Amino acid sequence: MSETDLIIIGAGPAGLAAARMAADCGLAVLLLDEQRAAGGQIYRNVDGVSDAEAAVLGKDYLSGRKLTSALAHPKIQHFHHAVVWQVSGDCRVSYSIDGNGTTVAGRALLIATGAVERPMPIPGWTLPGVMTAGAAQILLKQSGVAAANAVLAGSGPLLYLVASQLCRAGQPPRALVETQGPRDLAGALRHGAGALRGWKYPLKGLGLLAELRRAGVERHTGARDIRIEGNDRTEVLTFKTRSGFKRIDCRTVLLHHGVVPNTQITRSVEIEHRWDVGQSCFVPARDDWGRTSLERVFVAGDGGGIGGAEAAALKGRLSALAAACDLGYLEASAKDEAARPIRRALAKEMAARPFIDMAYPPYREALIPGDGTIICRCEEIDAAEIRRCVSLGCEGPNQTKAYCRAGMGACQGRYCGLTVTNILSDELGRSPDEVGYYRIRAPLKPVTLGELAAMHEDKTEGIQT
């Protein structure tokens, strides 16, 4: 079995920044990423876009090139198309590249798998023509394809960014249908001081809204009872506001109401998790260096709590410093000294987060959907079936697998897990922490018997130790 100092899973902002910081401290780093190029979701294809595409995506997107260029270091090995399918708490990672499986052991492990879009199950969300706003952005970044005549529905700053990018691409959306309302903004004002300290994010949001007004994009706020209707595909989106019932004919709907940490790997190694009330999701428990309940296993970036790309990079650097100290490459005093400016920058980056979280809460009707709404798309289980499980004695998500197969599909609960927990929590009158989450087991991604049979030691050559 090959060995290295630090294994990093994920080449987004946190993984990229951590890889360079660790390498500069002298650690041999193996960076594993499933994508075809470094950058993660936020900086997807950042080194491959044309100038015209870059103008559509914006200058913040291009800042990712500083991180990807930093991979040019003799201590860093970056393997793309690396599908991680098993991780153990003793820092061993099994993965496949082009159908060839191998296992590598690290002296330390950093999980930097970022975030996933929060599922938004509403009536009609499984119809053809419905996708997430993040998926539409991937089409723009990866293929230069802009969704035409789309309606964006949900809440969160990403809606403004994607809508503005569609405008720049020559495909302005038909409308924004937002679920947050004046009460949410009023409640967020208690965190106004933090918003002022992190002024660049509110200012950026105001700039995007101004851009959308100039483009003539229709905007509705305080929407409720959102439904997507159609026979064989999306045909119309309906909703209600204080001014009455609304109907918009459309062929494409982009849904979004926030992002949540991707906890599949952290769950699989049984790291302790807790429910974050402010962000309405589970996050892995960790200290301010990213250390978890497992020795020499770290979590950095949005996979440990949502903070955005720049905060993720800063958290990655802090975890790299801690790993370097733990492995004897850095004295504790040098670690603390190097961390001081990073922590100051991180505090500023995170200052506006409480304001953003309260101003753009997730859509409650999608957190706890009504009967008839599909929850588990893989097994076609609706909310009524989840509630029926409770009436039969089900007390947690793992039991729903036995009662109705929710969470047993190909996604292994990635898209239904939080919703199942929320429904059970509501029905049982217990907190999400008490209800819990799915137990995640390997393989985390599909792996063939041929890959397992062909595995042998020293498959990965040239890893420095």
Side-chain angles (χ1 to χ4, degrees):
M1 183 187 301
S2 299
E3 297 180 351
T4 191
D5 288 325
L6 177 64
I7 302 172
I8 300 176
I9 304 174
L16 292 172
R20 183 54 189 250
M21 177 64 79
D24 286 343
C25 291
L27 282 71
V29 178
L30 174 62
L31 177 61
L32 301 174
D33 189 54
E34 195 167 328
Q35 305 302 322
R36 70 182 189 184
Q41 298 298 345
I42 188 70
Y43 299 129
R44 177 184 284 265
N45 198 37
V46 68
D47 293 321
V49 296
S50 66
D51 290 342
E53 290 169 329
V56 167
L57 296 168
K59 64 179 182 179
D60 287 346
Y61 168 71
L62 289 180
S63 66
R65 289 179 175 172
K66 295 178 181 178
L67 292 171
T68 56
S69 64
L71 287 181
H73 192 290
K75 287 282 187 178
I76 300 175
Q77 283 197 304
H78 170 215
F79 291 172
H80 53 84
H81 290 304
V83 180
V84 173
W85 45 266
Q86 184 173 33
V87 179
S88 64
D90 59 357
C91 303
R92 287 181 297 166
V93 177
S94 297
Y95 63 96
S96 296
I97 299 177
D98 297 330
N100 297 310
T102 191
T103 297
V104 62
R107 297 176 64 200
L109 170 67
L110 173 60
I111 302 169
T113 47
V116 295
E117 280 191 273
R118 186 191 302 273
M120 191 171 168
I122 61 174
W125 76 307
T126 58
L127 281 170
V130 182
M131 63 177 123
T132 66
Q137 196 179 52
I138 287 173
L139 282 175
L140 265 176
K141 293 174 179 178
Q142 196 71 56
S143 306
V145 175
N149 297 314
V151 174
L152 287 81
S155 73
L158 182 65
L159 287 179
Y160 304 152
L161 177 60
V162 172
S164 296
Q165 290 171 339
L166 291 175
C167 289
R168 296 170 204 157
Q171 296 288 352
R174 296 204 61 185
L176 265 73
V177 178
E178 300 176 61
T179 58
Q180 84 284 346
R183 288 185 179 180
D184 298 310
L185 179 59
L189 290 177
R190 73 183 69 170
H191 301 291
L196 290 174
R197 187 180 176 199
W199 57 269
K200 69 177 182 179
Y201 290 108
L203 185 63
K204 179 181 177 181
L206 291 173
L208 292 173
L209 285 173
E211 186 176 353
L212 295 175
R213 282 195 296 271
R214 290 193 297 269
V217 176
E218 186 178 322
R219 185 180 173 216
H220 306 270
T221 59
R224 63 187 189 280
D225 197 18
I226 302 173
R227 296 173 178 270
I228 302 165
E229 301 173 1
N231 293 318
D232 297 326
R233 62 159 297 123
T234 299
E235 296 175 5
V236 63
L237 182 135
T238 65
F239 59 98
K240 297 176 183 176
T241 66
R242 294 180 65 183
S243 60
F245 178 81
K246 308 285 184 181
R247 173 189 175 96
I248 303 176
D249 294 331
C250 57
R251 302 278 287 178
T252 303
V253 174
L254 308 180
L255 298 176
H256 177 81
H257 67 150
V259 295
V260 295
N262 181 355
T263 60
Q264 291 296 106
I265 291 179
T266 54
R267 286 281 183 183
S268 74
V269 294
E270 299 184 350
I271 287 171
E272 181 185 347
H273 288 68
R274 59 176 177 79
W275 183 258
D276 186 313
V277 175
Q279 298 191 343
S280 299
C281 61
F282 286 107
V283 298
R286 67 222 180 280
D287 67 11
D288 57 3
W289 295 98
R291 289 190 182 93
T292 69
S293 53
L294 297 179
E295 185 178 7
R296 294 186 179 175
V297 177
F298 298 80
V299 175
D302 281 353
I306 306 304
E310 293 188 37
L314 294 167
K315 291 176 182 178
R317 293 186 179 103
L318 289 174
S319 291
L321 288 172
C325 183
D326 290 353
L327 298 181
Y329 284 88
L330 199 63
E331 295 291 334
S333 58
K335 175 198 69 173
D336 293 340
E337 181 65 25
R340 286 191 185 96
I342 299 175
R343 292 199 185 281
R344 286 195 294 269
L346 180 59
K348 188 174 182 179
E349 280 296 316
M350 296 297 292
R353 179 53 52 180
F355 175 88
I356 295 170
D357 289 343
M358 288 203 70
Y360 297 98
Y363 179 41
R364 178 166 176 78
E365 291 176 42
L367 289 179
I368 307 176
D371 292 349
T373 301
I374 294 292
I375 302 302
C376 175
R377 295 184 295 184
C378 297
E379 300 292 331
E380 296 187 346
I381 305 298
D382 68 10
E385 186 68 10
I386 303 297
R387 292 185 172 96
R388 190 180 74 87
C389 292
V390 175
S391 71
L392 295 175
C394 176
E395 296 189 349
N398 287 302
Q399 287 181 298
T400 64
K401 296 179 181 180
Y403 280 84
C404 69
R405 290 191 57 81
M408 291 288 286
C411 85
Q412 299 184 52
R414 285 176 176 82
Y415 302 111
C416 68
L418 281 177
T419 312
V420 169
T421 292
N422 278 323
I423 292 175
L424 294 179
S425 174
D426 184 61
E427 289 293 304
L428 294 167
R430 301 174 186 170
S431 71
D433 275 321
E434 292 175 299
V435 170
Y437 192 78
Y438 289 129
R439 184 175 296 111
I440 306 301
R441 296 185 175 93
L444 300 166
K445 294 290 180 72
V447 58
T448 67
L449 291 176
E451 289 174 55
L452 295 175
M455 287 179 64
H456 58 82
E457 293 185 355
D458 298 326
K459 190 80 173 182
T460 307
E461 299 178 357
I463 295 180
Q464 302 167 18
T465 58

